[in-house]
Amino acid sequence: PVRIATLFLIAAPLARAQDPIPDPIAFFNEVKAHQREMDAIRENYTFHRIRQTDEVDKKGSVTKTTTAEREIFFVNGYQVGRLIKRNGVELSPPEEKKEQARVKKVVEMRMKSAPGHRVGRIGPISEILAVSKISNPRRVSLNGRDTIAFDFTGDPQAHANNMEQNATKKMGGTIWFDESDRQVARMEEHLDDNFRIGGGLLASVKKGTNLTLEQSPVGQGLWMQTASEEYIAARLVVKGFRLKVHIKDFDFRRFNVETLQQIGPPSK
């Protein structure tokens, strides 16, 4: 019996590896449909986010580091962040009072607004699919789970409907989808050419700018972004800058209605 069980454990992954790779378009549509189903669940969660921003020079050496920790929650389809710590130090009582007042105004505005875009989805994916060529579908084990990975590269002939899609046409990278949960597990993208805004007069983002983000399961078939790394080399009007941004999301919890009540949303 032990041998049979061992053979089964070995044979199961091999069988999955031999299964045909799903059609990319059909698979992406399944992912998007499943993510829409998860939106309502996702907005019942709150979590903490630490954002570290490193300013770097031309040689890549860090010249300045700042951090901010926030409590993140969702209101009417919008993401709201309440600042808790700045550079590892908790806010002073006057700063806390000011932050509470600011968040209260944001909550009131969001609750009165039309429902926002569901922030749970990884927004760039829809932009990527619209103006990119997909290639090299394959099964990959990622963090102990079966994923289907696709490479993408911008299609110069694709019609772009907005600035984000124009930028995406200059990007390439890889997306990993969890095969079982139909969720994005990881995404890497990089800018293969300079992208100019306003003909370069307003701003330009330099070749080499890149982003890596990861999602992990937190329960109920739901995945949340847990980490991202971003390198930005750009020029805004006449000032150039280089940033490395590290984001970590953690301490995911079911949303406590009392938290929102403490912030003071408008009474119904």
Side-chain angles (χ1 to χ4, degrees):
V2 174
R3 288 183 179 179
I4 294 175
T6 302
L7 289 173
F8 176 78
L9 291 173
I10 296 174
L14 292 175
R16 286 194 297 270
Q18 294 173 357
D19 288 343
I21 300 293
D23 174 73
I25 301 302
F27 186 79
F28 292 153
N29 287 336
E30 286 184 31
V31 170
K32 289 191 291 185
H34 186 65
Q35 287 185 336
R36 283 194 294 269
E37 294 175 0
M38 292 292 101
D39 283 339
I41 298 176
R42 180 176 283 110
E43 293 191 17
N44 289 328
Y45 277 79
T46 181
F47 56 92
H48 281 215
R49 169 175 292 165
I50 295 179
R51 178 188 180 97
Q52 176 180 316
T53 303
D54 297 329
E55 298 180 18
V56 298
D57 58 22
K58 294 181 179 180
K59 296 181 179 180
S61 300
V62 177
T63 59
K64 182 180 179 180
T65 296
T66 58
T67 63
E69 181 175 344
R70 289 180 170 84
E71 180 184 27
I72 307 295
F73 58 95
F74 304 101
V75 176
N76 200 23
Y78 298 93
Q79 183 173 286
V80 179
R82 181 174 68 90
L83 184 63
I84 298 174
K85 296 180 182 179
R86 186 185 292 111
N87 295 324
V89 180
E90 294 184 354
L91 301 184
S92 65
E95 290 174 327
E96 173 67 20
K97 183 177 180 181
K98 184 178 180 180
E99 177 67 2
Q100 287 284 73
R102 183 194 68 81
V103 173
K104 179 180 178 181
K105 289 182 180 179
V106 173
V107 170
E108 291 175 345
M109 178 183 67
R110 293 310 189 192
M111 293 188 73
K112 294 177 182 178
S113 302
H117 295 293
R118 297 302 184 181
V119 295
R121 304 179 205 154
I122 300 181
I125 290 179
S126 59
E127 306 292 343
I128 288 170
L129 299 180
V131 295
S132 297
K133 297 177 180 179
I134 305 298
S135 64
N136 193 24
R138 60 206 183 271
R139 280 191 172 85
V140 180
S141 178
L142 182 67
N143 297 326
R145 296 179 65 97
D146 291 329
T147 68
I148 296 180
F150 297 90
D151 296 331
F152 66 90
T153 184
D155 182 0
Q157 305 302 320
H159 174 71
N161 295 315
N162 52 48
M163 185 175 67
E164 288 78 9
Q165 288 186 350
N166 272 319
T168 301
K169 288 172 64 175
K170 296 178 179 289
M171 290 183 176
T174 304
I175 309 176
W176 290 259
F177 297 93
D178 187 82
E179 189 169 9
S180 180
D181 284 357
R182 293 300 199 259
Q183 294 274 5
V184 176
R186 181 180 176 90
M187 183 172 70
E188 298 177 357
E189 60 179 351
H190 46 81
L191 192 63
D192 295 326
D193 194 6
N194 295 334
F195 178 69
R196 295 175 176 82
I197 301 173
L201 297 176
L202 297 178
S204 64
V205 184
K206 296 184 178 181
K207 174 182 177 180
T209 292
N210 60 75
L211 167 69
T212 299
L213 60 83
E214 293 187 352
Q215 293 200 137
S216 301
V218 296
Q220 296 182 286
L222 174 65
W223 290 56
M224 298 283 276
Q225 181 176 317
T226 50
S228 71
E229 300 282 338
E230 187 172 8
Y231 171 70
I232 307 168
R235 178 182 55 79
L236 184 61
V237 189
V238 296
K239 183 178 180 180
F241 59 90
R242 296 173 180 82
L243 302 176
K244 290 183 178 180
V245 182
H246 318 267
I247 295 177
K248 179 181 179 181
D249 294 346
F250 61 100
D251 193 20
F252 295 93
R253 307 184 308 277
R254 294 283 295 179
F255 188 75
N256 184 356
V257 177
E258 293 180 357
T259 301
L260 189 58
Q261 292 173 341
Q262 290 171 5
I263 296 172
S267 58
K268 295 184 179 179

